[in-house]
Amino acid sequence: MRPLLGYCDNTAEPLAGMLRPGSAGSNTAADHLAVLDAAITALPPGFRRRLMVTCDGAGASHDLITRLDKLAARPGYQLICSVGWELGARERAAIAAFPARAWQIAVDARGEIRERRADQACSDPECAHRRCWIEEAHVTELASLLREGPAGDQLSGWPAAMRVFARRERPHPGAQLTLFEARDGDEDAIRTGKDCGIGKYPSTSLAMNNAWQAAALTAAALLAWLRLLALDGPLARAGPKTLRYRVLHVAARLTRGGRQRQLKVQASWPWPTDIVTAWHRISALPHAP
């Protein structure tokens, strides 16, 4: 079985999922389009006008890129897309032809330079010594060379506004020195999904496994919103295993008195405050009309 999933990066919740037979191809554009449409539909209407859609290299198909290009062209809407791109012979040749000055230092989501400590750095982990820090990644744009290089326009079948970027990173100890494709996406959300049962299908029946995946996606969505609405600190970033142990499997009882409900937690439990605080926050949420 091959699951195809769509997540919301802002909330780490699954928006859509499709379970396909093991014989299904990874680049099946029709499946990607179905999951894309379902994921956008799952968003509240007010949040559909400004989107950034990311997909790994399996989504680098003409049909998907064309659909995203059309969605981005709608009046009153803004859509940015980032799709993984296969490093073929033409891309390798373009990268080799780029001069060193064409590479720019990569920055993280906060706009800060991506750096790591050098092997021979000093003992102060907060130091500002230039020699103690190594630029971890660089980026460059390949579109101009691929469209206007000696080989002519090698992107003629793709939208004219499409841009192709390459990223290079310093290898960590044990890393293979080769060109590779980096996957985008929220890896924490993927790990959460696996811990909730996605990929651990109990049957050879597609129908039964579809039901299993629906339950697993529901569990992942509930955990995502539990972290967002009710938890603080490390628990707000915790995975399913930690949440099960510290919150979900705790012996507790709901009681009623004085027209109020009270949550009574086992007195010997080490983290009662986190659970009670989460309960009060959830209880204070407005009810749907």
Side-chain angles (χ1 to χ4, degrees):
M1 304 292 176
R2 291 190 174 184
L4 188 62
L5 307 173
Y7 282 85
C8 177
D9 188 58
N10 300 74
T11 61
E13 65 174 315
L15 296 176
M18 174 187 293
L19 186 60
R20 306 177 301 156
S23 59
S26 59
N27 294 88
T28 305
D31 293 344
H32 286 90
L33 292 174
V35 171
L36 171 67
D37 291 344
I40 293 177
T41 302
L43 294 171
F47 292 92
R48 299 176 192 170
R49 290 187 172 273
R50 296 185 62 189
L51 297 175
M52 179 174 183
V53 178
T54 64
C55 184
D56 63 15
S61 64
H62 289 271
D63 290 343
L64 180 61
I65 299 298
T66 299
R67 172 70 65 86
L68 292 171
D69 196 46
K70 289 181 179 179
L71 292 175
R74 296 173 298 170
Y77 288 82
Q78 179 184 15
L79 186 143
I80 302 171
C81 63
S82 174
V83 177
W85 191 264
E86 182 181 0
L87 285 169
R90 62 181 179 183
E91 290 80 17
R92 294 171 186 265
I95 290 173
F98 263 75
R101 64 179 181 276
W103 292 91
Q104 302 293 319
I105 301 173
V107 297
D108 58 22
R110 297 171 297 179
E112 299 177 359
I113 296 176
R114 288 183 52 185
E115 296 178 311
R116 63 179 174 89
R117 297 285 287 172
D119 294 337
Q120 305 300 324
C122 69
S123 58
D124 180 7
E126 303 295 333
C127 77
H129 305 146
R130 182 65 266 169
R131 67 181 181 276
C132 294
W133 296 91
I134 300 175
E135 295 166 5
E136 193 171 30
H138 300 81
V139 294
T140 192
E141 184 171 358
L142 304 179
S144 59
L145 192 57
L146 290 174
R147 288 194 183 277
E148 304 172 7
D153 188 356
Q154 301 180 68
L155 301 175
S156 57
W158 299 93
M162 188 182 75
R163 304 170 71 183
V164 181
F165 293 91
R167 182 180 71 215
R168 66 181 185 186
E169 297 192 10
R170 292 183 179 271
H172 294 278
Q176 295 182 351
L177 298 178
T178 183
L179 292 173
F180 66 94
E181 176 189 334
R183 295 187 59 181
D184 294 320
D186 190 336
E187 295 299 329
D188 288 337
I190 298 296
R191 283 192 292 270
T192 295
K194 290 181 178 179
D195 286 342
C196 289
I198 297 175
K200 302 175 182 178
Y201 302 110
S203 173
T204 57
S205 166
L206 183 61
M208 184 176 292
N209 289 336
N210 264 317
W212 176 277
Q213 177 165 288
L217 291 175
T218 300
L222 290 173
L223 288 181
W225 283 102
L226 172 66
R227 289 190 292 257
L228 285 168
L229 298 176
L231 300 177
D232 289 320
L235 282 181
R237 302 182 297 274
K241 295 180 181 178
T242 300
L243 292 176
R244 288 191 194 106
Y245 177 66
R246 293 183 57 170
V247 178
L248 303 179
H249 288 182
V250 181
R253 184 175 60 177
L254 277 176
T255 62
R256 294 180 179 272
R259 298 183 179 181
Q260 293 183 342
R261 292 188 302 173
Q262 294 181 338
L263 178 66
K264 295 186 176 181
V265 182
Q266 180 180 338
S268 60
W269 193 251
W271 308 282
T273 303
D274 293 326
I275 299 172
V276 173
T277 300
W279 166 253
H280 285 310
R281 288 176 177 173
I282 293 172
S283 300
L285 293 174
H287 295 282

